[in-house]
Amino acid sequence: GAVVSQHPSWVICKSGTSVKIECRSLDFQATTMFWYRQFPKQSLMLMATSNEGSKATYEQGVEKDKFLINHASLTLSTLTVTSAHPEDSSFYICSARAARDNEQFFGPGTRLTVL
Amino acid sequence: AQKVTQAQTEISVVEKEDVTLDCVYETRDTTYYLFWYKQPPSGELVFLIRRNSFDEQNEISGRYSWNFQKSTSSFNFTITASQVVDSAVYFCALSGYSGTYKYIFGTGTRLKVLA
Protein backbone atom coordinates (compact mmCIF):
# COMPACT_ATOMS: atom_id res chain seq x y z
CA GLY A 1 0.00 0.00 0.00
CA ALA A 2 0.92 3.65 -0.22
CA VAL A 3 3.37 4.70 2.47
CA VAL A 4 4.20 8.21 3.60
CA SER A 5 7.04 8.92 5.99
CA GLN A 6 7.88 11.98 8.04
CA HIS A 7 11.14 13.02 9.55
CA PRO A 8 11.78 13.74 12.31
CA SER A 9 9.08 12.08 14.37
CA TRP A 10 9.67 14.57 17.13
CA VAL A 11 11.79 17.66 17.60
CA ILE A 12 12.49 20.05 20.44
CA CYS A 13 13.94 23.43 19.61
CA LYS A 14 14.60 26.78 21.20
CA SER A 15 12.41 29.77 20.54
CA GLY A 16 13.61 31.76 17.54
CA THR A 17 15.14 28.86 15.65
CA SER A 18 13.88 27.29 12.45
CA VAL A 19 12.80 23.70 12.09
CA LYS A 20 12.43 21.68 8.91
CA ILE A 21 10.07 18.70 8.64
CA GLU A 22 10.28 16.31 5.69
CA CYS A 23 7.43 14.37 4.17
CA ARG A 24 8.16 11.60 1.69
CA SER A 25 5.97 9.33 -0.36
CA LEU A 26 7.92 6.08 -0.43
CA ASP A 27 6.20 3.99 -3.06
CA PHE A 28 4.24 6.37 -5.23
CA GLN A 29 4.53 9.75 -6.86
CA ALA A 30 2.66 12.42 -4.96
CA THR A 31 1.10 15.01 -7.20
CA THR A 32 -0.22 16.87 -4.21
CA MET A 33 0.90 17.02 -0.61
CA PHE A 34 -0.99 18.51 2.29
CA TRP A 35 0.21 19.82 5.63
CA TYR A 36 -1.98 19.73 8.71
CA ARG A 37 -1.55 20.97 12.24
CA GLN A 38 -3.22 19.39 15.22
CA PHE A 39 -3.27 20.94 18.67
CA PRO A 40 -3.97 18.73 21.72
CA LYS A 41 -7.49 17.37 21.80
CA GLN A 42 -8.40 19.14 18.59
CA SER A 43 -9.01 18.08 15.05
CA LEU A 44 -6.64 18.27 12.11
CA MET A 45 -6.54 21.69 10.53
CA LEU A 46 -5.30 22.00 6.98
CA MET A 47 -2.47 24.51 6.73
CA ALA A 48 -1.56 24.34 3.07
CA THR A 49 -1.73 22.36 -0.13
CA SER A 50 1.29 21.97 -2.34
CA ASN A 51 1.55 20.69 -5.88
CA GLU A 52 4.88 19.53 -7.22
CA GLY A 53 6.76 22.37 -8.83
CA SER A 54 4.24 25.01 -7.79
CA LYS A 55 3.88 27.42 -4.93
CA ALA A 56 1.87 26.17 -2.00
CA THR A 57 -1.66 27.36 -1.41
CA TYR A 58 -2.16 28.38 2.19
CA GLU A 59 -5.39 28.27 4.13
CA GLN A 60 -6.79 31.45 5.53
CA GLY A 61 -5.00 32.55 8.68
CA VAL A 62 -1.82 30.57 8.02
CA GLU A 63 1.26 32.76 7.70
CA LYS A 64 3.06 31.79 4.53
CA ASP A 65 6.24 33.55 5.59
CA LYS A 66 6.34 31.61 8.81
CA PHE A 67 5.47 28.19 7.42
CA LEU A 68 7.57 27.69 4.29
CA ILE A 69 6.55 24.78 2.13
CA ASN A 70 8.62 23.33 -0.66
CA HIS A 71 7.45 20.53 -2.94
CA ALA A 72 10.45 20.16 -5.17
CA SER A 73 9.90 16.60 -6.29
CA LEU A 74 7.10 14.10 -6.66
CA THR A 75 8.21 12.28 -3.53
CA LEU A 76 9.32 15.02 -1.16
CA SER A 77 7.74 18.02 0.49
CA THR A 78 9.24 20.02 3.32
CA LEU A 79 7.68 22.30 5.89
CA THR A 80 9.98 24.82 7.56
CA VAL A 81 8.74 26.58 10.65
CA THR A 82 10.74 29.79 10.74
CA SER A 83 11.53 31.62 13.96
CA ALA A 84 9.53 29.12 15.95
CA HIS A 85 7.76 30.21 19.13
CA PRO A 86 6.13 28.17 21.90
CA GLU A 87 2.71 28.71 20.34
CA ASP A 88 3.94 26.81 17.26
CA SER A 89 4.29 23.69 19.39
CA SER A 90 1.94 21.19 17.83
CA PHE A 91 1.61 17.90 15.99
CA TYR A 92 2.28 18.37 12.29
CA ILE A 93 0.94 15.78 9.88
CA CYS A 94 1.52 15.57 6.17
CA SER A 95 -0.41 13.62 3.59
CA ALA A 96 0.15 12.82 -0.05
CA ARG A 97 -2.11 12.16 -2.98
CA ALA A 98 -1.28 10.40 -6.21
CA ALA A 99 -2.52 11.70 -9.53
CA ARG A 100 -4.66 8.62 -10.10
CA ASP A 101 -6.67 8.93 -6.92
CA ASN A 102 -8.26 11.44 -4.62
CA GLU A 103 -7.36 9.54 -1.47
CA GLN A 104 -4.77 11.04 0.83
CA PHE A 105 -2.20 8.86 2.56
CA PHE A 106 -1.04 10.22 5.87
CA GLY A 107 2.38 10.34 7.43
CA PRO A 108 2.91 9.37 11.07
CA GLY A 109 3.24 12.98 12.19
CA THR A 110 5.94 15.14 13.75
CA ARG A 111 5.61 16.44 17.26
CA LEU A 112 7.21 19.87 17.57
CA THR A 113 7.98 21.38 20.96
CA VAL A 114 9.35 24.90 21.08
CA LEU A 115 10.92 25.90 24.39
CA ALA B 1 -19.60 25.11 2.07
CA GLN B 2 -18.58 21.70 3.26
CA LYS B 3 -18.87 20.65 6.85
CA VAL B 4 -18.54 17.53 8.98
CA THR B 5 -20.19 17.31 12.37
CA GLN B 6 -19.31 14.76 15.00
CA ALA B 7 -21.60 15.76 17.83
CA GLN B 8 -20.25 13.21 20.31
CA THR B 9 -17.13 14.64 21.89
CA GLU B 10 -16.41 11.70 24.13
CA ILE B 11 -18.00 8.31 24.67
CA SER B 12 -17.21 5.80 27.38
CA VAL B 13 -18.36 2.20 27.17
CA VAL B 14 -17.60 -0.98 28.99
CA GLU B 15 -15.76 -3.67 27.08
CA LYS B 16 -17.99 -5.86 24.90
CA GLU B 17 -20.62 -3.19 24.52
CA ASP B 18 -21.58 -2.00 21.05
CA VAL B 19 -21.00 1.67 20.28
CA THR B 20 -22.01 3.90 17.39
CA LEU B 21 -20.13 7.02 16.42
CA ASP B 22 -22.16 9.58 14.53
CA CYS B 23 -21.06 11.62 11.54
CA VAL B 24 -23.22 14.13 9.70
CA TYR B 25 -21.92 15.98 6.68
CA GLU B 26 -22.87 18.88 4.45
CA THR B 27 -21.83 19.33 0.85
CA ARG B 28 -23.25 20.66 -2.38
CA ASP B 29 -21.14 18.31 -4.46
CA THR B 30 -22.94 15.40 -6.05
CA THR B 31 -19.75 13.38 -6.08
CA TYR B 32 -17.87 13.16 -2.84
CA TYR B 33 -16.01 10.76 -0.58
CA LEU B 34 -16.39 10.02 3.07
CA PHE B 35 -13.73 8.57 5.32
CA TRP B 36 -13.24 7.30 8.84
CA TYR B 37 -9.88 7.36 10.57
CA LYS B 38 -8.72 6.11 13.95
CA GLN B 39 -6.10 8.07 15.87
CA PRO B 40 -4.60 6.11 18.76
CA PRO B 41 -2.49 7.82 21.42
CA SER B 42 0.59 7.50 19.21
CA GLY B 43 -0.99 10.09 16.91
CA GLU B 44 -0.68 8.26 13.63
CA LEU B 45 -3.91 8.24 11.66
CA VAL B 46 -5.16 4.78 10.78
CA PHE B 47 -7.37 4.57 7.71
CA LEU B 48 -10.58 2.62 8.30
CA ILE B 49 -12.84 3.14 5.31
CA ARG B 50 -13.54 5.22 2.22
CA ARG B 51 -16.98 5.46 0.70
CA ASN B 52 -18.02 7.35 -2.42
CA SER B 53 -21.32 9.12 -2.73
CA PHE B 54 -22.69 6.68 -5.27
CA ASP B 55 -22.24 3.64 -3.10
CA GLU B 56 -24.82 3.56 -0.34
CA GLN B 57 -24.28 -0.04 0.57
CA ASN B 58 -23.48 -0.58 4.18
CA GLU B 59 -20.15 -2.19 4.89
CA ILE B 60 -18.98 -4.61 7.51
CA SER B 61 -15.38 -5.41 8.33
CA GLY B 62 -15.00 -7.69 11.28
CA ARG B 63 -16.35 -5.87 14.33
CA TYR B 64 -16.66 -2.63 12.39
CA SER B 65 -19.65 -1.58 10.33
CA TRP B 66 -20.66 1.59 8.58
CA ASN B 67 -24.10 2.94 7.75
CA PHE B 68 -24.19 5.47 4.92
CA GLN B 69 -27.49 7.28 4.39
CA LYS B 70 -27.55 10.06 1.84
CA SER B 71 -31.11 10.97 2.79
CA THR B 72 -29.92 12.12 6.20
CA SER B 73 -26.35 13.00 5.15
CA SER B 74 -24.97 10.63 7.72
CA PHE B 75 -22.14 8.13 7.74
CA ASN B 76 -22.22 6.41 11.10
CA PHE B 77 -19.67 3.95 12.42
CA THR B 78 -20.48 1.07 14.75
CA ILE B 79 -18.06 -1.03 16.71
CA THR B 80 -19.54 -4.31 17.89
CA ALA B 81 -18.27 -5.96 21.05
CA SER B 82 -15.85 -3.15 21.78
CA GLN B 83 -12.39 -3.87 23.13
CA VAL B 84 -9.94 -1.81 25.13
CA VAL B 85 -7.72 -1.54 22.03
CA ASP B 86 -10.53 0.36 20.33
CA SER B 87 -9.88 3.29 22.65
CA ALA B 88 -8.82 6.17 20.42
CA VAL B 89 -10.07 9.30 18.75
CA TYR B 90 -12.10 8.66 15.64
CA PHE B 91 -12.40 11.20 12.85
CA CYS B 92 -14.90 11.37 10.04
CA ALA B 93 -13.78 13.28 6.94
CA LEU B 94 -15.32 14.52 3.71
CA SER B 95 -13.67 15.16 0.38
CA GLY B 96 -15.66 16.88 -2.32
CA TYR B 97 -15.05 16.80 -6.04
CA SER B 98 -14.00 20.41 -6.33
CA GLY B 99 -10.60 19.68 -7.76
CA THR B 100 -8.66 20.58 -4.65
CA TYR B 101 -9.00 17.14 -3.06
CA LYS B 102 -9.05 18.72 0.36
CA TYR B 103 -10.34 16.79 3.33
CA ILE B 104 -12.70 18.39 5.79
CA PHE B 105 -12.36 16.68 9.15
CA GLY B 106 -14.92 16.51 11.89
CA THR B 107 -13.92 17.44 15.40
CA GLY B 108 -13.47 13.82 16.35
CA THR B 109 -15.01 11.52 18.94
CA ARG B 110 -12.86 10.22 21.77
CA LEU B 111 -13.84 6.66 22.57
CA LYS B 112 -12.85 5.14 25.88
CA VAL B 113 -13.44 1.45 26.31
CA LEU B 114 -13.19 0.39 29.91
CA ALA B 115 -12.15 -3.09 30.96
Side-chain angles (χ1 to χ4, degrees), chain A residues 38 43 59 101-102 104, chain B residues 33 39 50 101-103 106:
Chain A
Q38 185 181 30
S43 187
E59 295 299 301
D101 199 357
N102 82 323
Q104 295 180 27
Chain B
Y33 294 84
Q39 188 177 42
R50 175 175 77 165
Y101 305 101
K102 292 182 184 179
Y103 281 18

Side-chain angles (χ1 to χ4, degrees), chain A residues 58-74:
Chain A
Y58 291 81
E59 295 299 301
Q60 194 171 5
V62 177
E63 300 174 59
K64 59 183 65 177
D65 293 331
K66 181 171 186 59
F67 299 99
L68 302 179
I69 293 171
N70 184 287
H71 191 167
S73 78
L74 284 172

Side-chain angles (χ1 to χ4, degrees), chain B residues 19-73:
Chain B
V19 59
T20 295
L21 309 182
D22 298 333
C23 173
V24 175
Y25 63 92
E26 295 176 29
T27 181
R28 293 179 182 171
D29 292 336
T30 54
T31 301
Y32 52 88
Y33 294 84
L34 295 164
F35 304 83
W36 274 96
Y37 289 88
K38 175 182 180 180
Q39 188 177 42
S42 66
E44 184 165 0
L45 285 177
V46 177
F47 168 82
L48 297 178
I49 190 171
R50 175 175 77 165
R51 180 51 49 97
N52 74 54
S53 53
F54 297 110
D55 183 2
E56 285 195 73
Q57 278 192 331
N58 292 330
E59 180 146 344
I60 298 175
S61 177
R63 297 185 296 107
Y64 296 169
S65 62
W66 290 268
N67 185 307
F68 177 29
Q69 292 196 339
K70 287 180 74 171
S71 61
T72 56
S73 296

Side-chain angles (χ1 to χ4, degrees), chain A residues 35 47-50 56 58 67-71 77-80:
Chain A
W35 287 94
M47 299 174 66
T49 303
S50 73
Y58 291 81
F67 299 99
L68 302 179
I69 293 171
N70 184 287
H71 191 167
S77 176
T78 59
L79 167 68
T80 301

